[in-house]
């Protein structure tokens, strides 16, 4: 497996709704999807992240990987994840993004979510998450919908973040 280049704000792939992966019932995921998941984990760990969506490495498909580095929570991948429900209770916490290195801002999100998708073996799975894991899931599902965390802050904060991005973004090669 391999570490892939993380796409940065400005790359069109980050702003498109990613395509669902077609999976036939009772058949394990195709090898290319399993390989993509392995590359995503390798890339996420190399970049010291806690989550990664396929568009962030240039693949416009609905796949995310998560590792909150919390005791009792094993790293996991979701194919075609869907958030089924959000709690009414919200939490405000700072977020960053591998596609916006150097930027962080407080984002308000529901405290709990229920998500369905396929696991890395292609089996249906349902995750009920709260706190940090719920935040990661929402952040990554946003990515596969073409939404970035800067879209979840006030227009004034977004303008300030974009101005800062112009100063801190890595040079184009």
């Amino acid at each position: 497996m391999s570490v892939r280049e993380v796409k940065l704000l400005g790359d069109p792939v980050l702003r498109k709704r990613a395509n669902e992966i077609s999976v036939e019932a009772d058949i394990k995921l195709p090898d290319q999807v399993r390989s993509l998941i392995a590359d995503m984990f390798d890339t996420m760990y190399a970049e010291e992240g806690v989550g990664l969506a396929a568009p962030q490495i240039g693949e416009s498909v609905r796949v995310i990987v998560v590792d909150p580095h919390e005791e009792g929570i094993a790293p996991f991948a979701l194919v075609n994840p869907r958030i089924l429900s959000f709690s009414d209770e919200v939490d405000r916490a700072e977020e960053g993004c591998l596609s916006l290195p150097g930027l962080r801002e407080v984002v308000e999100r529901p405290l709990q979510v229920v998500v369905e998708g396929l696991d890395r073996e292609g089996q249906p799975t349902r995750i009920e998450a709260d706190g940090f894991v719920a935040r990661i899931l929402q952040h990554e599902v946003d990515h596969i919908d073409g939404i970035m965390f800067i879209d979840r802050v006030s227009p004034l904060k977004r303008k300030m973040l974009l101005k800062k991005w112009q100063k801190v973004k890595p040079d184009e090669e």
Side-chain angles (χ1 to χ4, degrees), residues 53-134:
Q56 291 181 275
I57 59 168
E59 301 290 339
S60 190
V61 292
R62 299 183 74 78
V63 178
I64 66 173
V65 297
V66 174
D67 184 353
H69 305 287
E70 289 184 1
E71 190 173 328
I73 301 176
F76 62 91
L78 288 174
V79 175
N80 300 333
R82 294 183 310 130
I83 298 178
L84 301 178
S85 65
F86 301 91
S87 66
D88 290 333
E89 188 178 359
V90 295
D91 179 46
R92 294 175 49 81
E94 193 174 68
E95 289 186 24
C97 180
L98 298 178
S99 293
L100 287 160
L103 295 188
R104 299 190 68 75
E105 187 56 64
V106 173
V107 178
E108 184 175 285
R109 293 190 186 268
L111 188 59
Q112 299 170 321
V113 293
V114 177
V115 181
E116 280 186 348
L118 302 175
D119 65 16
R120 66 172 98 191
E121 301 304 319
Q123 298 302 307
T125 188
R126 179 183 176 109
I127 298 171
E128 295 181 22
D130 61 7
F132 189 49
V133 176

Side-chain angles (χ1 to χ4, degrees), residues 128-173:
E128 295 181 22
D130 61 7
F132 189 49
V133 176
R135 178 169 295 278
I136 297 168
L137 284 165
Q138 291 172 79
H139 182 108
E140 300 310 332
V141 170
D142 272 357
H143 269 302
I144 61 176
D145 286 335
I147 299 167
M148 298 182 77
F149 86 91
I150 60 172
D151 302 324
R152 299 282 186 198
V153 300
S154 72
L156 179 60
K157 282 190 179 178
R158 184 173 193 274
K159 186 176 180 179
M160 289 170 40
L161 287 167
L162 290 172
K163 189 173 184 176
K164 182 177 179 185
W165 175 247
Q166 292 305 314
K167 294 177 184 174
V168 301
K169 71 180 177 179
D171 293 331
E172 303 292 321
E173 293 179 13

Side-chain angles (χ1 to χ4, degrees), residues 18-34:
N19 300 312
E20 286 217 3
I21 291 182
S22 178
V23 180
E24 294 182 38
D26 299 325
I27 296 179
K28 71 179 190 175
L29 292 177
D31 287 342
Q32 69 264 29
V33 176
R34 294 164 70 87

